[in-house]
Amino acid sequence: MRRVGRMATNTASSGAPQPADPLAVLGALPGVPEAVESVRQAVDRVYGHRVMRRRSDEVTSEAALRGARASAALASADWPLEEVRRRGDFSADDEARTVGAALRLTAEAGQLITVWRQSPLQALARLHLVAAGGVAEEPTVGRPRLTGEPVAEPLVGLAEIPLPEPSEVNARLDGLAGLLRAGTAAPALVVGAVVHGELLCLRPFGSFNALVARAAERIVLVGSGLDPKSICPAEVGWAELGRADYLKALDGYSTGTPGGMAEWIAHCGRALELGVRESVAVCEALQRGAA
């Protein structure tokens, strides 16, 4: 059963025999049902907070800001929250452009739910276009990289995960898109983790792959109905757990083994629960009048 995730996406694009719902198979891996249930309970708690009845828009806005800040931090632009909040110009240097890209992606993700359902690849192209914001060379923006084109990726540990050739990237992207369009009974946590992991391992674009991958998972979590108001910033959790653990879990995903896949999904679950905790704290602050 080696390379579960990779086999799922490749098989979907090849027309070879496959399980009726390959993503649902991942949802049954050891430890994953427990992670899914723990996430569901955490999300239910924050949605049940009394502040959400009247001030959910404020919680959503704050979650977006904190999620973007955390996603940028994972991409080596670790700015204090208040600095992100007060800045208006994000063009001064590479760190500023990374923070700006994260903010734009977080804002754009909520606008792409319908596009994602109809054409995940079109949504990904739009995410990369938004992230690049005119920084990357125009011919490479919004499309998968071609043979010989470099990948600029600030997560250094990704260099240890082999960079697939463009032909493999395109095949696996097509396979993933096919699985998503076909629909699945797999929990949102599983689907989001697979989308996130695939994009990080494939690095289909010449830049901003990690930011795009995290935004894509956000789209899945919102569009699935697990987090319809986008108040559970998993990005905060990944940053809190640390880049080393993030890359270790991703390395497990890249092997495609059942254990590695399950650990990555569980890691994404832990991150989402920490994001929920962040939003509960925001709700409590709003209730006290401190935010």
Side-chain angles (χ1 to χ4, degrees):
M1 197 175 172
R2 187 168 178 79
R3 298 202 177 277
V4 178
R6 180 172 176 177
M7 285 177 63
T9 54
N10 280 350
T11 303
S13 62
S14 68
Q18 58 177 311
D21 192 348
L23 293 174
V25 173
L26 302 179
L29 291 174
V32 172
E34 292 81 0
V36 168
E37 178 61 18
S38 184
V39 162
R40 185 192 65 78
Q41 291 181 11
V43 172
D44 284 350
R45 282 195 297 273
V46 70
Y47 271 87
H49 197 286
R50 61 186 302 177
V51 165
M52 288 296 296
R53 291 197 290 269
R54 294 183 178 180
R55 305 181 70 178
S56 63
D57 288 349
E58 293 173 71
V59 180
T60 295
S61 296
E62 189 64 20
L65 184 71
R66 295 182 184 215
R69 189 219 71 82
S71 190
L74 282 168
S76 302
D78 192 0
W79 286 16
L81 180 63
E82 292 310 313
E83 176 72 5
V84 179
R85 196 189 303 277
R86 74 171 185 82
R87 285 285 286 269
D89 180 14
F90 295 97
S91 61
D93 51 37
D94 286 345
E95 281 197 5
R97 285 188 285 271
T98 297
V99 174
L103 288 166
R104 291 191 300 273
L105 283 170
T106 300
E108 186 71 16
Q111 309 302 313
L112 290 175
I113 305 299
T114 300
V115 176
W116 180 268
R117 289 171 180 154
Q118 297 171 349
S119 177
L121 299 185
Q122 182 181 342
L124 289 174
R126 174 61 185 171
L127 286 175
H128 186 247
L129 182 66
V130 167
V135 175
E137 292 182 14
E138 187 173 344
T140 69
V141 172
R143 64 155 174 81
R145 56 187 166 81
L146 303 177
T147 301
E149 290 182 342
V151 174
E153 190 57 63
L155 280 174
V156 177
L158 286 176
E160 299 176 9
I161 298 175
L163 187 68
E165 290 297 320
S167 58
E168 181 180 348
V169 170
N170 289 328
R172 287 172 63 178
L173 284 176
D174 286 344
L176 180 63
L179 291 175
L180 295 171
R181 286 195 305 269
T184 177
L189 173 64
V190 173
V191 180
V194 169
V195 167
H196 184 171
E198 276 294 290
L199 293 174
L200 276 178
C201 290
L202 292 177
R203 285 151 284 171
F205 303 111
S207 58
F208 299 109
N209 288 289
L211 293 176
V212 167
R214 290 188 284 274
E217 177 161 348
R218 178 180 283 264
I219 290 174
V220 171
L221 298 179
V222 172
S224 68
L226 176 64
D227 180 21
K229 294 183 181 294
S230 195
I231 61 168
C232 306
E235 302 93 336
V236 170
W238 287 310
E240 184 172 335
L241 291 167
R243 200 175 346 183
D245 283 355
Y246 183 68
L247 291 172
K248 180 181 177 182
L250 177 65
D251 186 63
Y253 177 90
S254 74
T255 68
T257 62
M261 296 287 291
E263 176 53 33
W264 170 250
I265 295 168
H267 184 79
C268 290
R270 289 191 293 273
L272 187 53
E273 289 187 62
L274 289 170
V276 167
R277 188 179 70 179
E278 185 85 355
S279 286
V280 168
V282 169
C283 287
E284 295 294 329
L286 287 170
Q287 187 168 284
R288 295 191 307 270

